[in-house]
């Protein structure tokens, strides 16, 4: 589809997710995913970028039906999260040629589902990059250069952004505008934000505050600082629903929060036109890829 087809886009969220680090909070209920999408659509949403990577219960086979029935476009991901999310035997099995796995899921499909991934998701660590992160990012860079797909990076508590850019862009040759740095709302370091934006990366501010993160009241100032410095075109907004309890259908903020509360609040602080750009024009550029065909981007 054409990039503009994303419309109002939740640039980072999860319909399905499973991890041993979140026992009992799995996102594995297709009916709940459908209800969440319906609520997001009612709130004005048109597309969701699902950052769930390989081996974490992506629900790829369910995505086409959910997209058709909800009217919400869904972009799936390949990639690999931090090592703690996987059994050692899974990581060992992938170690021979991880980049080939990513390329196959981008170019051919995820397993036998027929669903092609539309972005690559990897992860850094807390204020640094361990051996696993460097290995997965090297594979992601190879896959990005082969396909054009964007790389989304989980920053642990919002930290390590500049280390990520040094590796992906400085050492591995990925263009900065192919990198989306996630969770920057969790570390409201305005100097780091500006440095990353000056480098050319996209900055994702994704999800309502949690008790151990920087609170929402600091976000308008961070976004205003970037916009005032000329980097409004680098900003993305998302929801990052990672547990069953956080879904709106279970009483949490869920996907609709981005548009029901977050958008309105930021609009009051920054102006509705600017926030609309964060939700539409910016993700259309950030996730667009040539895929060997003119003017195309990824869908589920």
């Amino acid at each position: 589809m054409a990039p503009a087809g994303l419309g109002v886009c939740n640039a980072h969220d999860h319909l399905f997710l499973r991890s041993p680090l979140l026992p009992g909070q799995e996102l594995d209920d297709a009916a709940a995913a459908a209800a969440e999408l319906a609520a997001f659509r009612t709130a004005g949403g048109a597309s969701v970028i699902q950052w769930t990577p390989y081996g974490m219960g992506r629900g790829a086979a369910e995505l086409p039906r959910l997209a058709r029935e909800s009217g919400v476009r869904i972009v799936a991901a390949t990639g690999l999260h931090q090592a703690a999310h996987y059994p050692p035997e899974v990581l060992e099995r992938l170690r021979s040629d991880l980049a080939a796995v990513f390329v196959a899921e981008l170019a051919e499909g995820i397993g036998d589902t027929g669903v092609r991934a539309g972005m690559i998701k990897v992860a850094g660590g807390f204020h640094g990059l361990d051996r696993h992160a460097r290995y997965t990012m090297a594979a992601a860079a190879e896959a990005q250069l082969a396909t054009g797909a964007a790389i989304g990076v989980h920053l642990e508590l919002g930290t390590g952004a500049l280390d990520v850019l040094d590796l992906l862009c400085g050492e591995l040759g990925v263009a900065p505008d192919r990198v989306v740095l996630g969770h920057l709302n969790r570390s409201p370091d305005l100097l780091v934000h500006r440095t990353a934006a000056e480098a050319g990366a996209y900055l994702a501010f994704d999800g309502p505050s949690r008790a151990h993160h920087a609170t929402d009241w600091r976000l308008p100032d961070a976004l205003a600082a970037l916009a005032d410095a000329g980097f409004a075109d680098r900003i993305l907004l998302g929801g990052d629903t990672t547990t069953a309890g956080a879904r709106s259908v279970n009483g949490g903020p869920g996907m609709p929060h981005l548009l029901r509360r977050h958008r309105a609040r930021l609009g009051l602080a920054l102006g509705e036109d600017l926030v609309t750009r964060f939700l539409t024009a910016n993700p259309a550029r950030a996730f667009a890829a040539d895929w060997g065909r003119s003017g195309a981007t990824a869908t589920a």
Side-chain angles (χ1 to χ4, degrees), residues 119-143:
M119 58 92 71
I120 308 162
K121 188 262 185 70
V122 290
F126 184 56
H127 286 288
L129 301 175
D130 62 12
R131 181 180 178 185
H132 174 83
R134 290 181 175 276
Y135 171 68
T136 57
M137 288 185 191
E142 185 176 338

Side-chain angles (χ1 to χ4, degrees), residues 76-189:
T78 187
L80 209 66
H81 210 314
Q82 296 163 333
H85 292 282
Y86 301 94
E89 60 270 21
V90 171
L91 298 178
E92 184 60 32
R93 185 173 70 244
L94 294 170
R95 192 159 297 281
S96 61
D97 197 350
L98 185 59
V101 174
F102 296 167
V103 170
E105 294 196 336
L106 291 159
E108 301 167 19
I110 297 170
D112 59 0
T113 65
V115 173
R116 289 172 56 193
M119 58 92 71
I120 308 162
K121 188 262 185 70
V122 290
F126 184 56
H127 286 288
L129 301 175
D130 62 12
R131 181 180 178 185
H132 174 83
R134 290 181 175 276
Y135 171 68
T136 57
M137 288 185 191
E142 185 176 338
Q144 192 286 317
L145 294 170
T147 65
I151 301 174
V153 184
H154 166 98
L155 299 177
E156 187 68 18
L157 298 181
T159 67
L162 303 185
D163 290 324
V164 168
L165 293 179
D166 285 348
L167 177 59
L168 284 176
C169 306
E171 297 181 32
L172 298 173
V174 176
D177 67 354
R178 296 287 75 207
V179 178
V180 178
L181 300 168
H183 306 322
L184 286 168
N185 50 304
R186 302 180 186 178
S187 180
D189 186 326

Side-chain angles (χ1 to χ4, degrees), residues 15-20 22-29 242-245 247 250:
L15 291 162
F16 297 97
L17 182 71
R18 181 181 62 245
S19 169
L22 298 169
Q25 285 294 321
E26 294 81 5
L27 298 178
D28 57 5
D29 185 336
T242 58
T243 62
R247 276 182 162 154
N250 293 327

Side-chain angles (χ1 to χ4, degrees):
M1 68 175 179
L6 284 177
V8 174
C9 179
N10 179 344
H12 180 178
D13 223 314
H14 302 273
L15 291 162
F16 297 97
L17 182 71
R18 181 181 62 245
S19 169
L21 301 186
L22 298 169
Q25 285 294 321
E26 294 81 5
L27 298 178
D28 57 5
D29 185 336
E36 201 73 2
L37 283 172
F40 178 68
R41 181 66 172 171
T42 297
S47 62
V48 173
I49 314 296
Q50 172 168 266
W51 284 39
T52 310
Y54 181 98
M56 294 187 69
R58 287 172 286 187
E62 297 283 356
L63 298 183
R65 177 185 63 82
L66 290 170
R68 286 193 304 270
E69 293 178 358
S70 67
V72 177
R73 295 185 184 273
I74 304 169
V75 177
T78 187
L80 209 66
H81 210 314
Q82 296 163 333
H85 292 282
Y86 301 94
E89 60 270 21
V90 171
L91 298 178
E92 184 60 32
R93 185 173 70 244
L94 294 170
R95 192 159 297 281
S96 61
D97 197 350
L98 185 59
V101 174
F102 296 167
V103 170
E105 294 196 336
L106 291 159
E108 301 167 19
I110 297 170
D112 59 0
T113 65
V115 173
R116 289 172 56 193
M119 58 92 71
I120 308 162
K121 188 262 185 70
V122 290
F126 184 56
H127 286 288
L129 301 175
D130 62 12
R131 181 180 178 185
H132 174 83
R134 290 181 175 276
Y135 171 68
T136 57
M137 288 185 191
E142 185 176 338
Q144 192 286 317
L145 294 170
T147 65
I151 301 174
V153 184
H154 166 98
L155 299 177
E156 187 68 18
L157 298 181
T159 67
L162 303 185
D163 290 324
V164 168
L165 293 179
D166 285 348
L167 177 59
L168 284 176
C169 306
E171 297 181 32
L172 298 173
V174 176
D177 67 354
R178 296 287 75 207
V179 178
V180 178
L181 300 168
H183 306 322
L184 286 168
N185 50 304
R186 302 180 186 178
S187 180
D189 186 326
L190 303 189
L191 181 58
V192 168
H193 294 178
R194 179 163 178 165
T195 303
E198 286 175 341
Y202 284 93
L203 282 61
F205 298 83
D206 38 32
S209 291
R210 303 169 191 176
H212 59 296
H213 295 158
T215 51
D216 285 337
W217 62 264
R218 304 189 71 170
L219 182 59
D221 287 343
L223 300 186
L226 284 168
D228 290 346
F231 300 114
D233 62 342
R234 300 289 98 187
I235 295 170
L236 306 175
L237 300 176
D240 193 31
T241 306
T242 58
T243 62
R247 276 182 162 154
S248 66
V249 295
N250 293 327
M255 288 186 179
H257 178 80
L258 176 65
L259 302 179
R260 286 180 181 166
R261 300 299 181 196
H262 212 39
R263 181 179 190 174
R265 181 169 172 275
L266 291 177
L268 289 173
L270 304 171
E272 293 183 7
D273 289 347
L274 191 59
V275 179
T276 297
R277 285 170 58 190
F278 300 164
L279 291 165
T280 56
N282 292 359
R285 290 193 312 275
F287 295 103
D290 189 354
W291 303 110
R293 304 188 302 276
S294 178
T297 188
T299 76

